[in-house]
Amino acid sequence: MNIVWENLKFFVTCLKNLPVSKNLILENNKGFCVSTGCDFESWVFYPEKINSYEVVEDVIKFFQDNKISFVWPLYDDGEKFLERAGLIYAGDLTAMSFEPGKNSYNGHDEKILIKRCNDHKIFAQTVWQGFNGEINEIPEKYFAFIEALNNYTKNFSLYIAEYENQNVGTFLITHGENLTGVYYFATLPKFRRKGVARAMMKKICELSIGKKIVLQATPSGLNFYKNFGFEKLFNIPVYSNETDVF
């Protein structure tokens, strides 16, 4: 299994162990479902070729019973089984990696402050707005999920970016032995193109202490990562039971 999938397994296994999560083991421990209780924070991790319809039926029943949306990054061939079950191709994530030291990342605009975030409500509000635009009502289950993440300090660190005394960006990093994984990298729409995302990525480079950085880029963030110096490794097709994923 390559480094990106190893890190994704590490991340979703941590999600599986959160107290808010419900889980289903798939086909004799070949993979698992994790439901955190809130839409699009629930995953299928199945690093095998899908060669039976039964595993797909098990996944759909699990999430239907929990009345939750989910994403299924496809590791190997199996599109026909997912499409037969009515799942929707939602687009591709792009697996990318970066070697700290290949780019100059020292210093940034002093107005942009990057710091650990220990307030789960602030992180939840900021990341929600970063991905969804203006804040409507944030589900209480999402606050509970972020609180559980924030308490899982052994493997995760949550960070917030401040600009002119406003919370404008977020990211989460996983602490692997040889890798740093990046998740929930988001900037509020009205603060984009002000150096916030670059300042956050420079901070990630500092925090990685020379370890390789990996992430799965959404289409909206792909150009930023390329311009920063990330190398594209491969595409990851993503399926869901909903249409609006990215």
Side-chain angles (χ1 to χ4, degrees), residues 163-164 166-168 187-197:
Y163 181 79
E164 297 181 344
Q166 299 183 69
N167 300 315
V168 298
T187 306
L188 269 61
K190 66 180 180 180
F191 288 96
R192 291 171 188 164
R193 301 186 183 277
K194 295 182 182 294
V196 175

Side-chain angles (χ1 to χ4, degrees), residues 50-58 60 81-82 84-86:
I50 302 171
N51 51 26
S52 74
Y53 189 60
E54 285 71 24
V55 65
V56 184
E57 289 181 316
D58 289 344
I60 291 176
F81 291 103
L82 301 182
R84 175 184 165 191

Side-chain angles (χ1 to χ4, degrees), residues 4 91-97 214-219 222 225-226 231-238 246:
V4 174
D92 289 340
L93 293 172
T94 303
M96 308 187 84
S97 69
V214 295
L215 53 80
Q216 300 88 47
T218 61
L222 187 57
Y225 297 122
K226 284 182 179 178
E231 175 187 1
K232 176 182 175 180
L233 302 177
F234 52 88
N235 289 334
I236 304 172
V238 175
F246 301 137

Side-chain angles (χ1 to χ4, degrees), residues 4 13-14 22 29 40 51 53 83 116-117 125 136 148 161 166 179 192 199 203 222-223 225 230 241:
V4 174
T13 299
C14 290
K22 297 179 181 179
N29 213 30
F40 306 129
N51 51 26
Y53 189 60
E83 291 169 357
R116 283 287 296 269
C117 183
Q125 290 167 350
N136 295 314
Q166 299 183 69
L179 293 172
R192 291 171 188 164
K203 184 66 174 180
L222 187 57
N223 285 338
Y225 297 122
F230 274 79
N241 56 347

Side-chain angles (χ1 to χ4, degrees), residues 135-190:
I135 293 181
N136 295 314
E137 184 177 355
I138 301 175
E140 285 300 321
K141 288 183 178 180
Y142 192 73
F143 284 113
F145 165 61
I146 296 298
E147 183 177 20
L149 279 183
N150 196 39
N151 292 335
Y152 207 75
T153 54
K154 180 180 178 180
N155 299 111
F156 295 149
S157 295
L158 280 62
Y159 284 82
I160 197 94
E162 292 182 357
Y163 181 79
E164 297 181 344
N165 297 317
Q166 299 183 69
N167 300 315
V168 298
T170 60
F171 63 85
L172 175 152
I173 55 174
T174 63
H175 306 291
E177 183 177 350
N178 300 308
L179 293 172
T180 296
V182 180
Y183 298 87
Y184 305 113
F185 191 91
T187 306
L188 269 61
K190 66 180 180 180

Side-chain angles (χ1 to χ4, degrees), residues 51-90:
N51 51 26
S52 74
Y53 189 60
E54 285 71 24
V55 65
V56 184
E57 289 181 316
D58 289 344
V59 169
I60 291 176
K61 184 178 186 306
F62 172 76
F63 285 108
Q64 283 180 339
D65 288 347
N66 287 280
K67 299 179 181 179
I68 205 73
S69 302
F70 65 93
V71 291
W72 187 330
L74 188 61
Y75 180 79
D76 205 339
D77 185 42
E79 291 92 337
K80 64 180 181 180
F81 291 103
L82 301 182
E83 291 169 357
R84 175 184 165 191
L87 297 184
I88 302 162
Y89 168 66

